[in-house]
Amino acid sequence: MSTAKRLLLSCLLAVLSMMIPINALAQTDTPVPGGKKPFYVNHYGCPTPYYLLNPADYEGPYAIFLQAYHQGKLTKLGRDVMTRLDLLRQDAQGRSGEMMDEGGRMVRSQIQQMVKRFPEMMTENTFVDIRCIIQNHNIQMANEAAVEIARHSRSKRMSARSSRRNMTWMNPQDKELLAQRTDSLTMARYNRFAMLNTSDTRLMKSLFNDQNYVVANIDATELSRQLYVLSENIRYTSLAGNTTLDDIFTPEERHRHWRRQNAWNYISYGNCSLNGGYQAYMQREPLWNMLHMGDSIMKVDYPVFNIRYTNEGVLLSLASLMELDRCGVRTSNLDSLEALGWIDNHIAPPGGRIVMIHYRRDKNDDDPLIKVLFNGHEARLPFKSDCAPYYHWKDVKRYYLRKLYRYEKTRRSKETEEKQ
C-alpha cells in the first residue's frame, strides 16, 4: 500500500473511531417539565486520550522488530513498521500516563459545552468541586477543567483536589468480587472465545519472512495485540496524520481484536452471568455517593457542580450498574454482546462521561427531577417515567437503593451460609 493510501486509510479510520456520542452535548435538550431549572450537576468522567502507562508497551514491540531486523527476518512492510514503532516510542518517552494534547482539547470542549448547556448555573455563587483519582492524566484533566470553568464562569468558589481518599468512592476495589471475576469456568469460556477470535497468521507473514523464526521467537498473539493497542493509541498523538498502524490489519482482524477486548471488559465490569453477574457492583460506592449527594444538597440555594475524573473501568461498571440504555444486559453468551448493545468503546470512549443533572423550581420544590446524560445524549433509566428522559428523584432513589440493598442482603446471606 502506498504512503498516500495508508494515510488516507488512517484518516478515515480515525474519523470512524470518533463517530461515537463523545461530543453529543451539542444536541438539543428535551424541554424540562414544569418550568424546573438545573441546580446540581454530578459528573463522572473517564480519561481522554493519554500515553500508555507502561513504557514497555512502546519499547517491547520495537525491540522484537529490531531483533528480527538484525537477523534479516523482516519483510519490506516489517521494516517500515519498525520505523513507525521507533517514531512512536520516541514520541512516548518520558510521557507515561500523560494526557495527550488531543485529550486536553476534549476536556476543554466538554466544559465549554457544559457551560453553554447550563448557562443559568454559571453565577457568582456557583460552587464547583473537582476531584480525581491519582493518575497523571486524571490530574491533568482536572486542571484543564478548572482552568476552563474559570474562563467561562463568574464563580469564585472552586475546589480541585486529588487524594488517595478519593479512591474509596471513585475507584473502589472489592477483594471478593475480584476473586470471582476470573474463576475457572469464566476463564475457560473466555479463552475459547478468544481462540475463536484470533487469527494472526496473515499478519505475521506480512511482517516476517521466516515463519519458523516467528514460531521459535515470537508470541504472535501477544505481538498482534500490542500492535492493535498501539494502532489505537497513535491516532491521538502528534504523529497522527503522518504515521499509522491501521493499514497492517484487515478490517476483520481489527474487529476480532476488538471483540476479545470487549468480551474481557464485559466479564470484568459488566453483568456477565458467567462469573455471577455482580462485577458491576464493584462500583456501588460511586452510585451510593451520587444518591447521597443528590439528597444532601437538595436545600442549597446556589448551583453546584461536582466533577469527578476516574478510569474507564469505573465508567463501564457504573453504566452497567445503573442500567443506562442497554448497558445492564446480563448474559453468558460472549458472542451476543454486539447484538445486545454492550459495546465498550461506546460506553466508555476516550472522554466518556455519565452526568446526572438535578432540576427544581426552587429549594422548596418537593418533587425534583433528574436527567442522565450518557456521553452527551439523554439516557433512559431502567424504569418507567411519565416525563422521560426526566425522572422523579424519589423514583430514582427508590429503584437504585432497593437494588443496592438487595445486593448487600444477598452477599450477607452468602457469607452467613459459608460460615455455617
Side-chain angles (χ1 to χ4, degrees):
M1 181 181 289
S2 68
T3 301
K5 288 183 178 179
R6 190 173 68 225
L7 293 177
L8 177 60
L9 175 62
S10 173
C11 292
L12 288 173
L13 286 170
V15 170
L16 289 173
S17 72
M18 298 179 75
M19 290 178 63
I20 48 182
I22 193 65
N23 288 319
L25 275 173
Q27 70 180 23
T28 302
D29 283 304
T30 301
V32 188
K36 298 177 189 283
K37 296 182 179 181
F39 72 97
Y40 175 45
V41 172
N42 197 347
H43 167 291
Y44 272 80
C46 71
T48 53
Y50 61 93
Y51 288 94
L52 302 176
L53 296 174
N54 189 349
D57 291 331
Y58 298 100
E59 298 291 344
Y62 174 73
I64 291 172
F65 277 80
L66 185 62
Q67 181 180 1
Y69 171 76
H70 287 311
Q71 298 188 38
K73 302 301 182 181
L74 292 180
T75 64
K76 181 180 179 180
L77 177 61
R79 293 191 297 273
D80 188 19
V81 169
M82 183 183 74
T83 300
R84 298 183 228 173
L85 291 175
D86 189 27
L87 292 172
L88 183 56
R89 76 181 186 91
Q90 290 185 51
D91 180 66
Q93 284 179 354
R95 294 177 170 178
S96 300
E98 180 179 312
M99 181 177 66
M100 295 176 177
D101 291 344
E102 178 60 26
R105 284 191 286 272
M106 279 189 184
V107 173
R108 293 191 295 273
S109 175
Q110 290 176 4
I111 294 299
Q112 291 164 13
Q113 292 163 3
M114 188 179 296
V115 170
K116 184 177 181 180
R117 198 163 195 172
F118 308 114
E120 57 269 82
M121 293 192 61
M122 299 300 165
T123 71
E124 293 182 356
N125 294 322
T126 298
F127 177 69
V128 181
D129 181 57
I130 305 173
R131 301 194 191 191
C132 67
I133 61 174
I134 300 181
Q135 289 280 9
N136 190 14
H137 46 272
N138 288 94
I139 295 171
Q140 290 175 301
M141 289 175 69
N143 289 339
E144 288 282 357
V147 171
E148 195 63 25
I149 289 176
R151 287 183 63 238
H152 293 277
S153 172
R154 292 175 290 160
S155 174
K156 302 185 184 302
R157 300 198 301 163
M158 183 183 302
S159 172
R161 288 173 286 178
S162 178
S163 169
R164 295 193 185 279
R165 296 186 68 179
N166 293 342
M167 302 292 279
T168 61
W169 56 274
M170 289 179 63
N171 185 24
Q173 300 297 307
D174 186 311
K175 292 181 180 179
E176 181 176 327
L177 287 174
L178 282 173
Q180 295 171 3
R181 177 174 292 176
T182 53
D183 61 29
S184 57
L185 171 62
T186 303
M187 291 309 299
R189 292 284 292 273
Y190 175 75
N191 288 336
R192 181 177 183 277
F193 175 85
M195 179 183 67
L196 294 174
N197 283 277
T198 298
S199 179
D200 305 309
T201 303
R202 187 212 62 82
L203 178 62
M204 293 300 109
K205 286 182 178 179
S206 72
L207 299 173
F208 303 94
N209 58 31
D210 184 346
Q211 295 311 296
N212 290 327
Y213 173 85
V214 173
V215 172
N217 297 277
I218 297 173
D219 183 340
T221 299
E222 177 59 15
L223 178 59
S224 181
R225 185 197 66 81
Q226 290 174 318
L227 292 172
Y228 171 73
V229 170
L230 291 176
S231 74
E232 295 287 305
N233 189 252
I234 200 172
R235 295 176 186 174
Y236 302 102
T237 69
S238 60
L239 300 173
N242 297 310
T243 305
T244 181
L245 291 173
D246 291 329
D247 61 300
I248 69 174
F249 297 99
T250 67
E252 176 60 25
E253 287 168 348
R254 295 192 65 83
H255 186 239
R256 289 185 175 188
H257 276 289
W258 172 77
R259 277 170 60 82
R260 297 203 301 270
Q261 168 191 290
N262 190 58
W264 181 251
N265 280 334
Y266 180 64
I267 287 170
S268 302
Y269 307 113
N271 296 318
C272 180
S273 56
L274 287 173
N275 53 16
Y278 291 118
Q279 288 302 311
Y281 284 87
M282 183 80 74
Q283 302 308 325
R284 59 194 183 277
E285 284 299 328
L287 182 53
W288 279 115
N289 183 262
M290 292 177 80
L291 298 174
H292 168 71
M293 291 302 300
D295 264 350
S296 66
I297 68 165
M298 195 64 67
K299 298 299 181 182
V300 299
D301 54 4
Y302 50 84
V304 176
F305 280 96
N306 283 341
I307 299 177
R308 307 348 188 158
Y309 290 115
T310 180
N311 63 37
E312 299 95 327
V314 172
L315 209 70
L316 288 168
S317 285
L318 190 56
S320 298
L321 183 59
M322 295 177 70
E323 304 169 71
L324 300 180
D325 294 338
R326 295 196 287 171
C327 295
V329 61
R330 182 185 178 108
T331 183
S332 61
N333 184 356
L334 300 179
D335 274 311
S336 69
L337 295 179
E338 289 171 82
L340 293 172
W342 207 94
I343 299 174
D344 61 356
N345 54 18
H346 285 187
I347 300 170
R353 58 221 181 272
I354 295 172
V355 185
M356 184 178 286
I357 307 100
H358 295 240
Y359 298 82
R360 68 184 182 189
R361 286 187 297 274
D362 54 50
K363 67 178 183 178
N364 296 315
D365 189 343
D366 60 359
D367 185 25
L369 302 176
I370 70 101
K371 177 175 68 176
V372 175
L373 296 179
F374 184 25
N375 294 325
H377 72 268
E378 296 175 331
R380 291 303 191 268
L381 303 188
F383 51 90
K384 293 182 179 180
S385 170
D386 59 4
C387 53
Y390 297 91
Y391 295 81
H392 299 277
W393 177 237
K394 59 184 179 183
D395 295 336
V396 174
K397 287 194 302 178
R398 181 186 302 113
Y399 183 85
Y400 288 126
L401 286 175
R402 285 180 175 177
K403 181 172 184 174
L404 294 172
Y405 285 138
R406 280 196 303 269
Y407 171 74
E408 296 296 346
K409 183 178 179 180
T410 300
R411 183 159 169 164
R412 286 196 301 270
S413 297
K414 182 180 177 182
E415 291 172 352
T416 301
E417 289 176 5
E418 290 175 349
K419 288 179 181 180
Q420 293 175 347

